[in-house]
């Protein structure tokens, strides 16, 4: 399951992300954060953490350095 999710994140990074404007406020980017979280905590908890991170990414957030803990 981990490899399946990471495969789709990599597809997003290769084909969809370059077509969008750069607007990421966080470092590492949300897609890299998702890969790191899935690798560290597994498919279920890593996906949950990635969704929480994506929900924090809005115009009113400060952004900044936010690694997987």
């Amino acid at each position: 399951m981990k490899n399946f999710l990471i495969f789709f994140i990599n597809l997003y990074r290769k084909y969809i992300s370059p077509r969008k404007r750069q607007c990421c406020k966080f470092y590492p980017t949300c897609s890299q954060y998702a890969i790191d979280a899935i690798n560290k905590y597994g498919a279920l908890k890593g996906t949950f953490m990635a969704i929480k991170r994506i929900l924090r990414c809005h115009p009113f957030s400060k952004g900044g350095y936010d690694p997987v803990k």
Side-chain angles (χ1 to χ4, degrees):
M1 187 67 172
K2 274 176 37 171
N3 293 331
F4 181 74
L5 292 170
I6 291 172
F7 172 76
F8 277 106
I9 292 169
N10 285 328
L11 283 178
Y12 165 80
R13 292 174 80 179
K14 186 172 183 179
Y15 296 109
I16 297 172
S17 184
R19 297 172 193 259
K20 296 172 56 181
R21 64 183 173 97
Q22 297 292 335
C23 62
C24 193
K25 294 181 167 197
F26 289 102
Y27 178 79
T29 62
C30 292
S31 57
Q32 184 61 49
Y33 182 92
I35 290 172
D36 293 344
I38 290 168
N39 279 327
K40 186 171 183 177
Y41 293 107
L44 216 55
K45 185 174 180 181
T47 301
F48 178 71
M49 291 174 70
I51 290 170
K52 282 180 24 181
R53 165 73 177 271
I54 291 168
L55 290 175
R56 285 195 316 250
C57 190
H58 55 79
F60 303 111
S61 72
K62 290 182 181 181
Y65 184 64
D66 183 29
V68 175
K69 297 175 185 167

